[in-house]
Amino acid sequence: MRGRPLGVAVDRRMVLQHQRRPGGMRLAHQFWLSLVLPIAMAILLYGIFASAHRKQVLREEATAELRNYATLLQAFVESALQRSDVALVRRRAEDFASAERILGIAAFTSEGEAIFITKGVEREAARLEELARRAFREGGDIEETASLAEQSVLLRTVSIRPSSANQPLVAVLVRDRHYIEVLERTLNHGLAVTGVVLLLVSAVVAGLVGRFTVALPARAILAGAERVASGDLDAAVPERGAEELSRLASAFNTMTCSLREARERAVREEAARVNGERKLQQAQALAAAGQVATSLGHEIGSPLNVIHGRARRAADLPGCPEHLRAELETIARQSERITRVVSRLVSLARPPRPQQADSDLRRVIDDVVAFLGPECRRRGIEPSVVCEGAARVRVALDSDRLFQVVFNLCLNAVEAQSRGGELEVRILPECDGPAGSSVVCFEVADAGPGIPGEDLRRIFDPFFTTKAAGGGSGLGLAIVRGIVEEAGGSVEATASSTGGACFRVTLPAIVSGSPASVEASSEASSESNRGGREEGQKA
């Protein structure tokens, strides 16, 4: 999988189009309108229907009350006329006129003669007389609304038929209707104020609820989605708000977590693929180098030995000039170098062999340091061996291959310090390794220029070298890693405390009393006995 990790490969054009898209109404505003508008419509419709119903009820109540007064007036007037007591009729009319909301009463004969008119309606006598004449003509009671003296009133005629001795009359009751309009306006005003307050409260509550349960959670989810769209898979949104939004936020966080895991898995797979390709290339290079080395070993091994031997023999001849001896020594050294390179190639390309051996780490290190002593003195390097653990530590690696590991690391440290310095080999205490096994670590540190950071990743690759042109084959550290990993250990390069390079090697330790330790001791004893017998036979 090449390219950017999963979750980062986003079509930028779609993101830009989304950002340029004209914005519509926000979700919080839609939520607010969806709550406030129905409430406002409900209040308005309720006000309209309630006002109409209330007006109708008030009018019906006023009409019913006026009819009751008309019935009572009819009974009292008829009773008084039967007694021919006109004065009583007038008193009764004045009593009725003093009732609540009754403005006045007037009575007329069929000829239009006024029997009585109360004070409240004296000025409207002509209009009341006309209404009474209409009642006589139609032969029934009349009820209607009118405006008297710029005041809304309710008029009601009452037909009075006393005994045959008295002529019939028509009484007209005038009832106030203006109070109904005042009451309607008052109630409508109160209803309007109540509706506005209710609407404001609903708007505020809907705004707060929409903000904290819808707007903020939705805005957080939108911001998280935009971060994910820009490649940030660490985005997380708070799981709050309405149930659906909370579940959406939880699903969003789960999705980003899955995307992060997928990206990390893709990165690991990419790294594993690159590492596999690199190892495959190294294996192919080693296989080719092995074939070449094997051919070279067969073809040039014998001539090199002859050249080396003849050069050494010629240099040791008495009377050989010094300049010729120097040239012969150069030929011998270069022959040895070619032999070592070929040997390294062959050993590096050779399939690993199972090793069941046991070596004394301290003794091998001492042998290597002693062997490199003359070279260290020539370069002005101070070697030292520091043992922080037990004096004798045994590792699961044969002494020859362990010597090769320590020698290559120490030789690199010596060659990295051409103007003097120090070589420190430090044996660390035993510690627990994987699966509870015991491991031993030792470090080889120098005071040289160190290893550049960009070269640390390739330092153990075959044929990679940081030495000057012609100064190395690039196989020493590759051989070290191959031997150590074959034994079940590991090797890594870091910077030393003095600023130079430091190589730490970890090898499986041989625990005293283990089968491997007993076997190694038996083999050492057998070798010693075998050597003693051979010496005795020679004697």
Side-chain angles (χ1 to χ4, degrees):
M1 184 184 301
R2 296 188 179 274
R4 33 182 129 161
L6 182 62
V8 181
V10 179
D11 192 341
R12 300 295 180 184
R13 291 177 297 179
M14 294 181 61
V15 176
L16 293 176
Q17 290 175 1
H18 171 74
Q19 293 176 351
R20 290 194 297 263
R21 188 177 304 166
M25 185 179 295
R26 290 188 175 181
L27 181 61
H29 295 166
Q30 295 180 2
F31 177 80
W32 184 82
L33 288 177
S34 66
L35 289 180
V36 173
L37 282 181
I39 295 175
M41 294 298 296
I43 293 175
L44 181 61
L45 293 176
Y46 173 77
I48 293 174
F49 289 110
S51 177
H53 178 68
R54 185 168 54 249
K55 183 181 295 185
Q56 181 180 357
V57 170
L58 290 175
R59 290 178 179 179
E60 289 177 355
E61 288 180 354
T63 302
E65 185 179 355
L66 185 59
R67 289 174 181 173
N68 292 334
Y69 277 121
T71 303
L72 291 175
L73 177 64
Q74 182 182 18
F76 284 130
V77 171
E78 288 180 353
S79 174
L81 288 178
Q82 287 177 359
R83 300 176 189 175
S84 300
D85 190 351
V86 178
L88 179 62
V89 172
R90 289 193 177 94
R91 285 199 306 272
R92 293 293 175 89
E94 292 291 342
D95 292 340
F96 272 94
S98 63
E100 185 179 6
R101 298 191 181 92
I102 299 297
L103 299 179
I105 301 174
F108 300 92
T109 63
S110 58
E111 288 80 11
E113 179 184 358
I115 304 300
F116 61 86
I117 299 178
T118 60
K119 295 180 180 180
V121 292
E122 289 177 350
R123 296 180 180 180
E124 303 294 336
R127 189 168 180 179
L128 297 179
E129 179 187 354
E130 181 183 356
L131 182 63
R133 287 179 181 275
R134 221 173 78 197
F136 276 117
R137 287 195 305 268
E138 295 178 3
D141 295 335
I142 298 175
E143 182 177 301
E144 64 181 16
T145 59
S147 178
L148 297 179
E150 298 181 355
Q151 185 175 359
S152 179
V153 296
L154 184 63
L155 303 176
R156 172 84 181 182
T157 62
V158 180
S159 299
I160 301 173
R161 293 181 176 81
S163 62
S164 58
N166 297 314
Q167 58 181 343
L169 302 176
V170 171
V172 181
L173 280 79
V174 181
R175 190 180 190 280
D176 181 23
R177 190 176 175 276
H178 179 66
Y179 81 96
I180 296 177
E181 298 177 354
V182 174
L183 183 59
E184 285 179 355
R185 286 196 298 269
T186 303
L187 294 178
N188 290 339
H189 178 72
L191 180 61
V193 172
T194 303
V196 170
V197 173
L198 178 61
L199 187 61
L200 290 177
V201 172
S202 302
V204 172
V205 173
L208 293 176
V209 172
R211 176 178 177 81
F212 291 103
T213 63
V214 177
L216 292 181
R219 200 173 302 167
I221 295 174
L222 177 61
E226 290 176 348
R227 289 177 59 186
V228 171
S230 64
D232 182 11
L233 297 184
D234 294 327
V237 297
E239 300 176 8
R240 63 186 182 187
E243 180 183 0
E244 291 78 5
L245 290 176
S246 177
R247 292 173 59 186
L248 178 60
S250 176
F252 178 86
N253 292 332
T254 304
M255 178 194 69
T256 54
C257 181
S258 300
L259 288 176
R260 284 197 303 271
E261 293 176 355
R263 181 177 63 180
E264 293 171 358
R265 185 165 56 251
V267 171
R268 289 195 300 269
E269 292 175 355
E270 176 71 9
R273 186 193 63 78
V274 172
N275 189 36
E277 289 182 354
R278 185 168 58 84
K279 288 184 177 180
L280 179 59
Q281 293 173 356
Q282 293 177 4
Q284 292 173 349
L286 291 177
Q291 295 176 358
V292 174
T294 303
S295 300
L296 288 176
H298 287 294
E299 296 296 333
I300 68 175
S302 297
L304 278 176
N305 291 331
V306 173
I307 293 172
H308 177 265
R310 295 294 177 88
R312 290 292 185 189
R313 185 180 304 171
D316 293 339
L317 290 176
C320 180
E322 288 298 327
H323 68 279
L324 182 58
R325 180 178 289 108
E327 296 293 337
L328 293 173
E329 287 292 339
T330 301
I331 293 174
R333 285 197 301 271
Q334 294 303 320
S335 300
E336 290 177 350
R337 181 172 177 274
I338 295 173
T339 303
R340 287 197 302 271
V341 171
V342 174
S343 177
R344 287 178 181 177
L345 282 172
V346 173
S347 64
L348 187 62
R350 183 182 300 122
R353 297 171 300 170
Q355 298 290 332
Q356 295 291 337
D358 168 6
S359 301
D360 188 336
L361 179 60
R362 177 60 185 269
R363 186 175 66 182
V364 172
I365 291 175
D366 290 339
D367 291 343
V368 171
V369 172
F371 183 79
L372 293 175
E375 185 67 17
C376 290
R377 288 190 294 273
R378 187 178 71 82
R379 294 174 177 261
I381 297 174
E382 183 67 27
S384 62
V385 178
V386 179
C387 185
E388 298 180 0
R392 296 296 174 185
V393 180
R394 309 195 72 83
V395 296
L397 187 63
D398 65 282
S399 57
D400 290 339
R401 294 165 70 81
L402 180 60
F403 185 93
Q404 191 174 7
V405 170
V406 180
F407 177 78
N408 279 327
L409 295 177
C410 292
L411 182 61
N412 281 347
V414 170
E415 292 178 347
Q417 306 174 91
S418 59
R419 298 182 180 180
E422 61 180 20
L423 169 65
E424 182 181 26
V425 183
R426 186 184 301 107
I427 303 175
L428 304 178
E430 293 187 25
C431 58
D432 293 334
S437 60
S438 181
V439 296
V440 175
C441 297
F442 70 91
E443 295 178 346
V444 178
D446 61 62
I451 303 172
E454 62 272 13
D455 293 337
L456 282 176
R457 188 173 56 88
R458 303 177 55 199
I459 196 69
F460 294 102
D461 292 349
F463 309 110
F464 177 80
T465 178
T466 58
K467 298 177 182 177
S473 62
L475 295 175
L477 292 179
I479 292 174
V480 168
R481 185 177 66 174
I483 294 174
V484 171
E485 291 182 352
E486 178 187 341
S490 63
V491 58
E492 60 179 347
T494 58
S496 68
S497 58
T498 58
C502 177
F503 290 87
R504 169 175 287 194
V505 179
T506 301
L507 290 170
I510 298 296
V511 182
S512 179
S514 64
S517 176
V518 174
E519 182 181 351
S521 300
S522 301
E523 291 179 358
S525 176
S526 300
E527 288 291 335
S528 176
N529 294 334
R530 202 163 40 244
R533 286 196 300 271
E534 291 176 354
E535 290 294 330
Q537 291 174 358
K538 291 179 181 179

